[in-house]
Amino acid sequence: MKGKVIVITSGKGGVGKTTTTANLGTALAMMNQKVVLIDTDIGLRNLDVVMGLENRIVFDIVDVVNGNCKLKQALIKDKRFEGLYLLPAAQTKDKSAVSPHQMKNLTNELRNSFDFILVDCPAGIEQGFKNAIAGADDAIVVATPEVSSVRDADRIIGLLEAAGLNNPRLIINRLRSKMVKRGDMMDIGDIIEILSIELLGVVPEDETIVISTNKGEPAVIENNSRAGAAYRRIARRIMGENVPIESLDDTGNLVDRFRKMLKLAR
Amino acid sequence: MVLLDILNKIFNRDAVSSKDIARERLRLVLVHDRASVSPEFLNALKEDLIKVIREYLDIDEDALMVNLENEENSVALVANIPVKGFKRAVGV
């Protein structure tokens, strides 16, 4: 097996890197892929709680690179999904506890036993970012339709390209179609034009994300979560399937909606 | 005033939508961000400028200044190039 290492990054904090990592990883596992999620946010770990695996941590990434335990011992198996694992960050150390060189070795070792290695990058452009991208083959940039987030995404794209990650792909997160419709939120076209980057997917603003995070269950397992459905489609694109970008217009009139329902039923 | 706002909303008279403002502001700030991402950028530009201008003018290379400046709603490349002398015209 020769797995692919994908880093999920954004520059700005709070735009949904961890949620994206958890959902894409789970969706890929549901597609029978062997997936490991790595939390590189040392000192501020959260992927464990988002995944609902916080009570099962024994060893962490710092223990692994320091040789306190074997890599296999630190991997937490998610019992709900076959082939899904988490390598948690340490909570009591800081970013300098791991070096880019160690990250590279770690991801290379994981390639042998996984199809996908998803690296959840911390916010910022310092050491933690450098660690997270060190072993990556591909990068996914997450941005919300706000000036601060898009600006930081632009900076991150520049830094990724300088590090040789030449074709990062963009996920636009938390898009509110109603605001877009009334001209109070940048639309997909605006953001793509400004960043000139390939679009991997669009995730709508969705309350079910808050609810599923409360429970520690990724939204992709909920059939009626719109954000979950968007993440499932993105996972299929990562697998190489040609899935068209969905129209997020949920404000269509009743007749339109009825028509859509009929189409689905057919 | 509030009533006027409401009327404007109803008749959709808000000339510029806030997303257009966001897009324009981003476009400007990114021109600047991208130029300053690498400190080498302005230096490389400066050196190439000197190379070209030297063909035509005798300039003070040490006093040459090149900068990106934010004007009201545009970004300008501003160069201050002290001329020490003109080269003697050749030919025509």
Side-chain angles (χ1 to χ4, degrees):
Chain A
M1 210 181 283
K2 203 79 188 132
K4 197 173 210 183
V5 182
I6 306 176
V7 61
I8 289 125
T9 182
S10 71
K12 189 178 180 301
V15 298
K17 285 179 296 296
T18 302
T19 304
T20 298
T21 307
N23 278 288
L24 290 183
T26 307
L28 286 167
M30 288 162 78
M31 295 166 78
N32 299 319
Q33 299 298 299
K34 238 188 138 193
V35 182
V36 59
L37 313 176
I38 308 181
D39 189 349
T40 59
D41 204 345
I42 299 168
L44 289 169
R45 74 174 172 210
N46 269 325
L47 188 52
D48 55 336
V49 281
V50 173
M51 290 296 295
L53 298 171
E54 68 272 20
N55 292 327
R56 301 195 31 221
I57 298 179
V58 180
F59 297 110
D60 56 51
I61 189 169
V62 176
D63 291 320
V64 174
V65 298
N66 287 343
N68 297 341
C69 68
K70 291 211 177 90
L71 175 54
K72 268 203 174 147
Q73 291 177 286
L75 293 179
I76 301 168
K77 182 175 174 14
D78 192 322
K79 290 168 183 162
R80 298 162 295 185
F81 313 101
E82 188 61 36
L84 183 60
Y85 292 79
L86 168 71
L87 178 57
Q91 184 69 330
T92 52
K93 309 275 187 345
D94 61 53
K95 307 288 190 267
S96 62
V98 175
S99 74
H101 181 72
Q102 289 170 323
M103 262 310 283
K104 222 173 190 171
N105 290 341
L106 178 65
T107 48
N108 275 339
E109 196 179 337
L110 288 166
R111 271 178 217 277
N112 298 322
S113 21
F114 290 92
D115 297 304
F116 287 98
I117 299 105
L118 301 188
V119 183
D120 184 19
C121 179
I125 53 174
E126 296 84 15
Q127 173 92 42
F129 170 75
K130 287 171 192 159
N131 285 342
I133 67 168
D137 308 309
D138 280 323
I140 294 173
V141 176
V142 182
T144 58
E146 295 156 83
V147 281
S148 50
S149 172
V150 176
R151 182 196 199 177
D152 288 2
D154 188 77
R155 181 97 163 91
I156 285 295
I157 293 164
L159 292 169
L160 288 170
E161 284 173 352
L165 287 162
N166 279 322
N167 294 306
R169 290 186 288 175
L170 180 72
I171 292 179
I172 299 174
N173 196 16
R174 311 190 65 169
L175 191 82
R176 301 196 204 183
S177 50
K178 277 182 191 160
M179 289 192 75
V180 170
K181 206 159 196 189
R182 65 167 192 257
D184 278 331
M185 181 173 267
M186 286 185 284
D187 59 35
I188 300 168
D190 293 329
I191 298 167
I192 290 301
E193 190 198 334
I194 287 169
L195 293 178
S196 49
I197 176 179
E198 188 188 330
L199 182 66
L200 179 61
V202 184
V203 181
E205 171 82 54
D206 186 352
E207 286 182 0
T208 62
I209 289 292
V210 179
I211 297 166
S212 66
T213 309
N214 285 345
K215 297 193 280 192
E217 293 168 354
V220 286
I221 63 174
E222 299 283 342
N223 275 327
N224 43 13
S225 163
R226 293 175 59 230
Y231 279 123
R232 284 197 299 272
R233 293 165 70 91
I234 293 171
R236 285 166 60 199
R237 286 184 200 116
I238 291 174
M239 291 285 292
E241 258 185 77
N242 187 8
V243 184
I245 298 289
E246 57 274 39
S247 140
L248 286 171
D249 196 354
D250 61 350
T251 52
N253 60 35
L254 268 179
V255 181
D256 280 347
R257 279 195 219 170
F258 195 62
R259 219 174 262 156
K260 260 183 205 161
M261 278 169 67
L262 285 178
K263 241 182 213 165
L264 282 179
R266 228 180 273 162
Chain B
M1 193 57 204
V2 178
L3 186 69
L4 190 69
D5 281 348
I6 293 169
L7 282 176
N8 276 340
K9 274 242 168 79
I10 290 172
F11 294 105
N12 206 7
R13 290 238 308 263
D14 239 348
V16 189
S17 59
S18 72
K19 80 124 180 186
D20 291 327
I21 301 171
R23 199 182 45 205
E24 268 322 291
R25 290 178 57 225
L26 254 177
R27 208 192 298 277
L28 287 176
V29 82
L30 287 188
V31 170
H32 219 267
D33 281 2
R34 284 175 186 171
S36 51
V37 161
S38 61
E40 301 87 37
F41 171 86
L42 278 180
N43 266 334
L45 176 65
K46 196 166 145 179
E47 263 158 41
D48 279 351
L49 273 178
I50 290 174
K51 252 186 247 164
V52 173
I53 297 170
R54 219 168 26 197
E55 302 283 315
Y56 301 88
L57 297 167
D58 187 11
I59 55 172
D60 184 353
E61 290 173 21
D62 295 328
L64 182 138
M65 302 252 287
V66 178
N67 245 325
L68 280 173
E69 283 179 16
N70 265 317
E71 308 276 301
E72 229 171 84
N73 51 5
S74 64
V75 173
L77 177 70
V78 179
N80 191 343
I81 310 166
V83 178
K84 288 201 285 199
F86 288 82
K87 302 226 159 154
R88 213 165 261 122
V90 184
V92 281

